[in-house]
Amino acid sequence: MKRLIVLLMIAAMALPCLAKGDWRGIVVDENGEPVAYANVAVLSKTDSTVVCGVVTQEDGSFNIVTSETDGIMMVAMLGYKTVYLAPVDGAVITLCDDSQMLEVAVASAVMPKTKLTGEGLQTNVRGSVLENAGTANDVLAKTPGLIKGQNGLEVIGKGSPMVYINGRRVSDASELDRLQSNEIQSVEVITNPGAQYDATVRAVVRIRTIRRQGDGFGFNLNASDAQSLRWAKGNDPFGALNLNYRTGGLDFFGGINYARNTSRQDSYLEKQTCGRTVAGEDWLFENKGTLLNEYIGSTLYGNAGVNWQMADNHFLGGKVEWGRHLSYSVHTEVNDNVFENGVLTDRLNTLSNDTMGERIPCNLGANVYYNGLAAGKLGIDVNLDYYGTDDSSKSVSSEASEMTHDAAISSASNNTGRMYAAKAVLSYPIWKGQLQAGTEETFSRRTDNYKVKGIDIPSSEASVKEDNIAVFASYGCHIPGVGQLSAGARYEYVHYAYEDAVTPANNLSRNYGNWFPNVSYAGVIGAQSQTPVQIMMNYSTKTSRPHYGNLSSAIRYNSRYIWQSGNSQLQPELSHNIGLTAVWKFVTMMVNYSRTDNAIVTWSSPYGDEGVVLVKPRNIETPFRMMAAYVNLTPAVGPWSINYTLGILPQWFTINAPDPREESGIRVTAFNNKPIFFAQLFNTFTAKGGWQFELGGVFMSPGYSRNLYMSNWNINLSAAVQKTLLSDGSLVLRFEGEDLTRTAHFNTASDFGSHTIVQTNLMDTQRVKLSVRYSFNTVQSKYRGTGAGADSKARM
């Protein structure tokens, strides 16, 4: 915290030193939209050396204070033509795109244009067919570099990204449903996050909204209702209201939203568990049966905040976010036929109901920030964050056996989590670029109390303490004729302590200290030709720490034959990543390769010799290697706009699995040679009168995903029709359908050595949805808080 106090003192001392710059201005693109993070430098007329320089703010503005009175101003940004001009105070500088525009006319829109920015792929949404795609989630699903996976939206080959809107981290996932597509200017997918991001962040998505002018009151209303075609209870209404009032240098904003979510899974499972008794006799348990899981829950979220522009390039603000469950219910029914050494020994029906416990589950988050520019050069960005969660649940299970004994099991779980974080970043122009340095400190505390009745499983009263102190620095510059170069490093020191009051033998304490470097280059091949190729190469080192819930050694009772536990001995993953990206006209190609040590996987193994299986996470001793390669095509033919992505996900992974049937007790299981092929095929047809028609599909072949085998083709066909109303397009009606053929499900097969599972699943994904969106005099929030402790929030 001392480092943070020093940085705050620097910021405070800098405030009285505000100086009106010699040269101020704003950098915009050909559409008049501001260009953020462009390099603006003053060159000496005698030898063209850089006298000083800055990077434009989010609104495209810059302010240079210099003693140079007769220099040359250079404005550079990858993807745009470099501009040289005589310095003029108050200038509006327009950057022109350096790649050939698509000369294709459509009825009312064109395909989104994708280009490299030096950090990732930026896709322009405004003025394209994505402008009317629906919500921000709908836009992201059709953005090059992103794909709908089994865990939701993922950056191809990188997993779930951290999402930012106008520099502010999204901590409430429903915000992406509230943000409308026609409010988005661009989406940038970053596959090599720099040193300023937590070392656990493998991918970042930055959404930039359209800059609105003027003061006043505005609001937007979003309401929708999705209905399952297979399950009457599968009804998901959603409503959100967002308010904004801006006057002078003050910006007040707030919002509230309600959501009801449902899900249903219908599965058939075959499990085999083998072992060997103390006497050396082999035994084999088999479970064959069905599983039905139904979830119904509703939540209420709200937020409020203020931003104050104290002076030119000086901002102060704060924001509070809260959420709570209004209802929560999970119903599970398992029917099992149990065989021991091939002989039927039991028919078991298990009914379980999970509901909210003693306390209503809720969370509360707050952020306070200062963002400014001192003496025209020194950028200061300070964030203080708090995040707290309280979760309470109870479960009641009833087991009815035809051949053995009945049982009644009940359990209760109460968890609390608290996180305090601070982040301070200083930036300063040096030579042809910008130096950035800072510190981030995160302090997390979590308690996990679990009690179970009706079976001999120990209770748990565990606490987790984790302190993470990080320092980082990076430098990036644009060299004319060469390209954009950047390099950075981050050092994180982590102290971790786990204590269990019931089972002190599980207590442990660890310290980690690691460096995480990253480097990237971006440039243009054939810059003077009519069809230049933009390229980007990068390398980074990342880590992945276990979720706090996976660190508890308490055993959770799922059913008579399946128990679950965390693993307090888990080590963090460490990954090395390299990538190559190229953009030519409407074609984008990307290849990423990674090697992960201490990979964390979910593992099942026998617990005793009565057929019980304990499911828990573990580290794998052998490295996990994978590659992601894809090509994205976005041409347009008249009113028909195409967005096709084709790719492959190969991996190389072997595990030494315990198997008592082997003489050595170990069997090498390989998860290789069966890559997943995937395709996203989206077609959009625009017509006069505000009509838009969409037809698309996501296809995934069988293949390995870590230690799971996806054994079937997953096909999700979708269609939508949309109508934009009113002269300003402020009212939008949309009707859409998902999983039209009811084939969007994953069947899996797992081999854990002494335990195997084959499972077929039918998910409740065939749905229709009607949505209405209305906006009135909406203005973009000027909130500039970027947040701190992002990884700890996600892990809670």
Side-chain angles (χ1 to χ4, degrees):
M1 291 297 291
K2 290 182 179 179
R3 279 187 293 275
L4 174 63
I5 294 172
V6 171
L7 290 169
L8 288 171
M9 292 174 62
I10 292 174
M13 289 186 293
L15 289 177
C17 302
L18 302 181
K20 192 172 183 179
D22 294 332
W23 296 326
R24 295 186 298 179
I26 184 170
V27 179
V28 299
D29 61 18
E30 294 166 300
N31 296 320
E33 293 300 322
V35 177
Y37 312 116
N39 294 289
V40 183
V42 176
L43 311 180
S44 170
K45 268 192 175 182
T46 57
D47 55 6
S48 295
T49 58
V50 177
V51 178
C52 63
V54 297
V55 175
T56 57
Q57 302 296 309
E58 285 279 353
D59 59 1
S61 64
F62 64 88
N63 187 2
I64 298 179
V65 177
T66 177
S67 58
E68 183 71 33
T69 59
D70 191 28
I72 300 171
M73 183 179 293
M74 179 187 75
V75 183
M77 180 71 176
L78 189 68
Y80 297 92
K81 294 179 180 179
T82 300
V83 174
Y84 297 90
L85 71 161
V88 178
D89 188 27
V92 176
I93 302 169
T94 300
L95 296 183
C96 297
D97 205 299
D98 70 349
S99 57
Q100 191 176 25
M101 293 291 290
L102 295 176
E103 298 177 355
V104 181
V106 296
S108 62
V110 297
M111 274 309 298
K113 189 176 182 184
T114 299
K115 63 184 177 184
L116 290 176
T117 63
E119 289 187 285
L121 286 170
Q122 179 178 293
T123 300
N124 290 329
V125 175
R126 189 180 187 185
S128 76
V129 293
L130 292 183
E131 185 174 12
N132 296 310
T135 67
N137 268 324
D138 297 317
V139 171
L140 296 181
K142 299 174 182 178
T143 298
L146 292 167
I147 188 172
K148 270 189 175 180
Q150 57 178 326
N151 298 317
L153 283 171
E154 300 178 356
V155 173
I156 298 174
K158 296 287 185 175
S160 300
M162 185 172 291
V163 181
Y164 288 81
I165 298 177
N166 296 328
R168 175 184 55 82
R169 181 181 179 271
V170 175
S171 56
D172 174 11
S174 65
E175 185 171 356
L176 297 177
D177 286 316
R178 300 195 300 268
L179 179 64
Q180 301 175 34
S181 58
N182 60 3
E183 297 179 89
I184 299 175
Q185 173 69 31
S186 63
V187 175
E188 186 176 8
V189 179
I190 300 173
T191 56
N192 185 41
Q196 70 270 31
Y197 296 100
D198 190 286
T200 62
V201 178
R202 296 170 184 252
V204 170
V205 170
R206 290 201 298 224
I207 299 174
R208 186 171 145 214
T209 60
I210 296 172
R211 184 169 177 260
R212 307 290 185 182
Q213 301 291 338
D215 295 344
F217 171 76
F219 71 88
N220 65 64
L221 179 65
N222 184 6
S224 66
D225 192 18
Q227 175 61 51
S228 167
L229 299 180
R230 297 284 179 172
W231 182 38
K233 295 181 180 179
N235 180 253
D236 294 358
F238 172 85
L241 175 65
N242 293 288
L243 308 172
N244 186 280
Y245 179 72
R246 176 185 283 178
T247 176
L250 287 172
D251 177 31
F252 301 93
F253 59 92
I256 188 169
N257 76 281
Y258 164 84
R260 182 179 189 265
N261 296 291
T262 62
S263 65
R264 190 173 192 268
Q265 174 183 342
D266 194 350
S267 302
Y268 175 78
L269 299 90
E270 292 188 0
K271 297 171 285 184
Q272 288 189 345
T273 307
C274 63
R276 181 168 293 173
T277 65
V278 178
E281 297 180 354
D282 292 338
W283 53 264
L284 176 67
F285 271 88
E286 295 176 279
N287 299 70
K288 299 179 181 180
T290 60
L291 178 147
L292 177 66
N293 179 273
E294 297 176 345
Y295 163 77
I296 300 176
S298 59
T299 55
L300 187 67
Y301 285 94
N303 69 83
V306 62
N307 181 86
W308 176 32
Q309 184 173 355
M310 301 178 292
D312 287 347
N313 298 318
H314 289 274
F315 301 85
L316 183 69
K319 182 178 183 179
V320 175
E321 297 177 297
W322 59 269
R324 58 165 289 176
H325 279 277
L326 300 178
S327 62
Y328 173 87
S329 172
V330 180
H331 172 76
T332 306
E333 180 176 359
V334 179
N335 289 290
D336 248 346
N337 292 321
V338 183
F339 300 84
E340 185 174 356
N341 296 323
V343 178
L344 179 66
T345 57
D346 199 3
R347 287 192 179 95
L348 184 67
N349 172 265
T350 303
L351 295 176
S352 301
N353 289 287
D354 298 354
T355 57
M356 292 189 293
E358 300 173 352
R359 302 191 304 269
I360 297 176
C362 60
N363 61 74
L364 176 66
N367 168 258
V368 177
Y369 79 93
Y370 166 78
N371 178 277
L373 195 65
K377 290 185 178 182
L378 180 65
I380 303 171
D381 189 0
V382 178
N383 281 267
L384 304 175
D385 276 75
Y386 166 81
Y387 186 72
T389 64
D390 287 279
D391 191 14
S392 179
S393 64
K394 59 184 179 181
S395 177
V396 177
S397 297
S398 168
E399 298 178 350
S401 171
E402 293 184 10
M403 305 175 70
T404 57
H405 62 278
D406 297 343
I409 312 295
S410 63
S411 64
S413 176
N414 293 283
N415 308 309
T416 62
R418 300 291 183 268
M419 184 216 68
Y420 310 87
K423 185 176 183 179
V425 184
L426 301 179
S427 57
Y428 195 82
I430 295 179
W431 192 50
K432 296 179 182 293
Q434 179 167 268
L435 176 67
Q436 189 178 75
T439 179
E440 183 172 11
E441 290 145 347
T442 306
F443 307 94
S444 303
R445 305 291 183 267
R446 178 180 173 89
T447 61
D448 186 350
N449 297 325
Y450 177 76
K451 296 181 179 179
V452 59
K453 297 179 180 179
I455 192 170
D456 187 19
I457 291 179
S459 299
S460 173
E461 295 180 13
S463 63
V464 174
K465 172 183 176 182
E466 183 177 289
D467 299 333
N468 186 325
I469 299 175
V471 293
F472 56 87
S474 63
Y475 179 75
C477 64
H478 181 272
I479 303 176
V482 177
Q484 180 118 359
L485 299 171
S486 64
R490 182 183 180 99
Y491 178 80
E492 292 189 359
Y493 174 80
V494 179
H495 171 70
Y496 167 79
Y498 175 89
E499 295 181 358
D500 191 331
V502 176
T503 313
N506 291 332
N507 296 354
L508 65 93
S509 177
R510 292 198 193 116
N511 296 311
Y512 304 100
N514 299 96
W515 284 98
F516 301 97
N518 69 281
V519 62
S520 68
Y521 163 77
V524 179
I525 298 176
Q528 305 304 319
S529 69
Q530 294 296 313
T531 56
V533 178
Q534 303 174 64
I535 62 169
M536 180 175 66
M537 297 177 288
N538 55 65
Y539 165 81
S540 64
T541 302
K542 296 293 181 180
T543 189
S544 179
R545 301 186 183 95
H547 288 268
Y548 293 125
N550 285 340
L551 295 170
S552 171
S553 294
I555 295 177
R556 308 296 176 111
Y557 185 87
N558 287 355
S559 69
R560 182 172 297 187
Y561 295 101
I562 301 178
W563 299 358
Q564 190 170 349
S565 171
N567 183 357
S568 60
Q569 305 296 322
L570 279 178
Q571 298 284 343
E573 296 182 345
L574 183 64
S575 299
H576 299 272
N577 311 278
I578 58 174
L580 172 65
T581 305
V583 177
W584 176 75
K585 287 189 174 182
F586 56 78
V587 181
T588 300
M589 294 170 285
M590 180 176 288
V591 179
N592 284 303
Y593 173 83
S594 66
R595 170 192 164 124
T596 301
D597 296 316
N598 287 329
I600 298 174
V601 300
T602 300
W603 198 260
S604 298
S605 56
Y607 190 75
D609 56 3
E610 296 183 359
V612 176
V613 170
L614 182 64
V615 181
K616 63 188 295 186
R618 59 165 284 197
N619 293 112
I620 301 301
E621 301 81 8
T622 54
F624 170 68
R625 299 179 177 90
M626 75 161 294
M627 184 177 74
Y630 71 88
V631 58
N632 174 257
L633 309 172
T634 55
V637 181
W640 177 26
S641 299
I642 298 170
N643 186 347
Y644 291 173
T645 300
L646 308 171
I648 183 174
L649 298 169
Q651 68 174 41
W652 299 267
F653 198 25
T654 57
I655 298 177
N656 297 322
D659 189 340
R661 295 169 295 185
E662 299 291 329
E663 199 171 306
S664 63
I666 297 294
R667 178 164 57 87
V668 177
T669 56
F671 304 89
N672 309 320
N673 303 322
K674 291 183 180 180
I676 293 176
F677 295 88
F678 65 90
Q680 291 190 135
L681 309 177
F682 297 117
N683 303 273
T684 303
F685 302 88
T686 56
K688 294 180 179 180
W691 286 98
Q692 181 168 299
F693 305 91
E694 302 171 19
L695 181 64
V698 179
F699 307 83
M700 300 192 74
S701 75
Y704 284 116
S705 176
R706 288 222 168 183
N707 61 323
L708 289 180
Y709 179 65
M710 308 300 176
S711 58
N712 69 302
W713 275 90
N714 179 288
I715 301 174
N716 185 356
L717 297 181
S718 59
V721 58
Q722 182 170 287
K723 172 66 173 175
T724 301
L725 301 170
L726 302 184
S727 58
D728 59 354
S730 57
L731 178 61
V732 179
L733 303 179
R734 182 179 176 87
F735 181 73
E736 58 192 293
E738 288 282 334
D739 190 18
L740 301 180
T741 56
R742 208 187 186 194
T743 51
H745 56 270
F746 292 93
N747 298 332
T748 62
S750 310
D751 185 351
F752 305 102
S754 53
H755 179 64
T756 60
I757 304 175
V758 176
Q759 181 171 335
T760 60
N761 304 298
L762 186 60
M763 314 301 288
D764 180 44
T765 50
Q766 190 176 45
R767 298 188 170 209
V768 293
K769 179 180 177 181
L770 177 65
S771 59
V772 180
R773 306 195 309 275
Y774 177 72
S775 302
F776 171 76
N777 192 31
T778 53
V779 293
Q780 175 187 334
S781 171
K782 296 159 64 178
Y783 197 75
R784 292 172 175 246
T786 56
D791 171 58
S792 293
K793 291 181 187 177
R795 292 163 63 205
M796 284 187 180

